[in-house]
Amino acid sequence: MPPSKTHLAGVAFGLALSSFAAYQMFKLPPVLPLLLERYGYDRTLAGGFMSVYALVGLFLSIYLGRLIERRGPARPVFAALGVMATGNLLGLVAPENGMAVLAGRGLEGLAFAVLAIAGPTLTNLSASARALPIVLGLTAAWIPIGQISATLLAQPALSGWGWQSLWIAGALGCALLALWTLGMRRSLPQGTAASAAQEQGAAILAPRERWLLALGGFGFLVFSGQYFAYMTWMPQYLVEVQGFSLDGAVWGYLLPVVVLMIFNIVAGRILQAGVSVGGLLTAALALQAAVWWLLPWTGSDWTGLVSVVAYGIGAGVAPTCLFSLPSTILGPGRGAAAAYGLMMTGRSIGVFIGPILLAEAFKLSGGWDLSAPIFGSFTTAGALGALWLWLSLRNR
């Protein structure tokens, strides 16, 4: 059952964990054009620097969700921060070696898989029933918070501090969060292992609940695949196609992220007003699909501005809906970590596919022409899956 009063410290800690994980992932795209120029990475390998984050999550998210459900988040989070710091240091040691950078990003991805489940789970369990839709809107903002942090830090990094400052900040952040984890450990959930009956009740899902969560996982797969492709390669696209400077591309990259974060909260208020999660998710993915299909007709004028803002709106609404699905399907608090583990498996598949798929499409066509039909079709399929989910929820 959800608490009668929101535990603000738990919400803040969960949001900090997940936002920091997003920072670690998105510290790469703002400096990727510089790294490609300086170290000459193959584009598919460079896409893998993002996609490798998903590889570990793809295989371990369900297991990690169950582990956190049973044992509580304190020890897994503390271990994950140590692994993430090691990954940051490995990237600093041999940046000219693409495989070493990939290995470092893989270690970061292992830690990310833990924090991406523990953070949303803690915010969910710390919220009262009344505050839950707004807290879930904040939870969905973890990606843009991390992106904005990385982008703002990238400005001085590109101007003189060096790209390495982003990785050094990541390692220092691991140390600070480890101290916070030690301070919070007694107030964090202790897991369900002490009660076998409670654990069994939380873990057993009805077949229809699993089906609805699987549809949600598919929605997360599609949203994450096209979103991470878009955000990984957007700075490079702005430089190569729209003629932006590297500094201008970073600011252009920031615009949809700011819009996204605003609409995370707007979507939470809309859901709090009683609008259907499935219907709102369908509309968000349909809007993003339209942006992809219209990409060949958008430029650096007002059409590009409208396209970026529309994309940011859809990208803000969709994850708020997706993070709301476990509590919508199972009820507040029930099996939260296990449900998020299942959802994050879909997300991990999307993150793994998206950046590499766009890189391969670029290599195949010698340009960006194939991105619109490939990702337009991909996101349209997601909108249809969300429509199916909406109808299934209505028929419960």
Side-chain angles (χ1 to χ4, degrees):
M1 292 292 293
S4 58
K5 185 178 180 180
T6 298
H7 182 214
L8 294 178
V11 171
F13 182 62
L15 185 60
L17 288 177
S18 49
S19 299
F20 179 68
Y23 165 83
Q24 292 282 5
M25 186 173 202
F26 281 96
K27 66 181 183 284
L28 175 70
V31 296
L32 183 57
L34 174 65
L35 296 177
L36 285 171
E37 179 183 357
R38 181 170 298 179
Y39 300 113
Y41 301 133
D42 176 80
R43 287 196 182 226
T44 301
L45 177 63
F49 294 161
M50 290 293 282
S51 294
V52 72
Y53 261 64
L55 194 59
V56 177
L58 175 60
F59 294 106
L60 292 181
S61 285
I62 293 177
Y63 167 75
L64 291 171
R66 291 173 178 169
L67 176 66
I68 293 170
E69 189 85 36
R70 292 194 305 267
R71 304 298 181 188
R75 289 183 180 178
V77 165
F78 195 76
L81 291 169
V83 171
M84 186 165 275
T86 303
N88 277 265
L89 296 176
L90 185 57
L92 287 169
V93 169
E96 72 286 347
N97 186 329
M99 295 307 296
V101 175
L102 184 65
R105 294 285 288 178
L107 290 175
E108 294 173 22
L110 174 58
F112 179 96
V114 176
L115 302 184
I117 296 171
T121 298
L122 286 170
T123 55
N124 183 311
L125 295 177
S126 300
S128 67
R130 178 174 176 78
L132 187 58
I134 299 301
V135 170
L136 288 172
L138 289 171
T139 301
W142 65 291
I143 289 290
I145 291 171
Q147 285 182 271
I148 290 172
S149 302
T151 304
L152 293 177
L153 188 55
Q155 292 295 320
L158 292 170
S159 300
W161 291 2
W163 65 265
Q164 294 90 342
S165 58
L166 292 166
W167 271 249
I168 293 171
L172 293 175
C174 290
L176 293 175
L177 276 174
L179 292 175
W180 194 355
T181 304
L182 288 174
M184 287 283 294
R185 68 187 185 279
R186 292 184 179 178
S187 61
L188 295 177
Q190 300 304 305
T192 60
S195 170
Q198 185 180 3
E199 180 179 344
Q200 185 179 24
I204 294 177
L205 302 177
R208 186 166 182 79
E209 290 174 334
R210 288 185 179 276
W211 165 245
L212 292 172
L213 286 171
L215 277 177
F218 176 71
F220 231 140
L221 184 160
V222 171
F223 170 74
S224 299
Q226 55 87 32
Y227 178 78
F228 278 79
Y230 186 96
M231 300 310 294
T232 298
W233 292 106
M234 184 182 183
Q236 193 71 20
Y237 173 82
L238 292 176
V239 170
E240 291 184 347
V241 177
Q242 303 298 342
F244 280 58
S245 66
L246 182 58
D247 189 61
V250 170
W251 287 112
Y253 168 87
L254 190 61
L255 176 59
V257 182
V258 173
V259 174
L260 186 164
M261 189 163 65
I262 293 170
F263 277 86
N264 283 148
I265 308 303
V266 170
R269 295 304 297 259
I270 294 173
L271 292 176
Q272 192 177 45
V275 174
S276 165
V277 173
L280 195 59
L281 178 61
T282 301
L285 289 175
L287 178 60
Q288 290 193 292
V291 170
W292 281 108
W293 283 116
L294 294 172
L295 190 62
W297 293 278
T298 56
S300 56
D301 55 6
W302 66 270
T303 59
L305 179 62
V306 171
S307 175
V308 167
V309 171
Y311 188 86
I313 292 172
V317 172
T320 300
C321 296
L322 290 165
F323 278 107
S324 299
L325 285 175
S327 61
T328 300
I329 296 168
L330 304 178
R334 177 175 167 243
Y340 278 124
L342 180 60
M343 297 279 288
M344 288 299 164
T345 299
R347 179 192 174 281
S348 295
I349 295 172
V351 176
F352 179 72
I353 291 173
I356 290 179
L357 181 60
L358 187 50
E360 286 296 313
F362 180 92
K363 290 169 68 174
L364 183 64
S365 65
W368 301 92
D369 296 340
L370 288 178
S371 59
I374 289 176
F375 286 94
S377 301
F378 190 61
T379 314
T380 299
L384 293 174
L387 177 61
W388 193 352
L389 174 65
W390 181 20
L391 296 175
S392 298
L393 287 171
R394 289 181 63 184
N395 291 332
R396 292 184 70 184

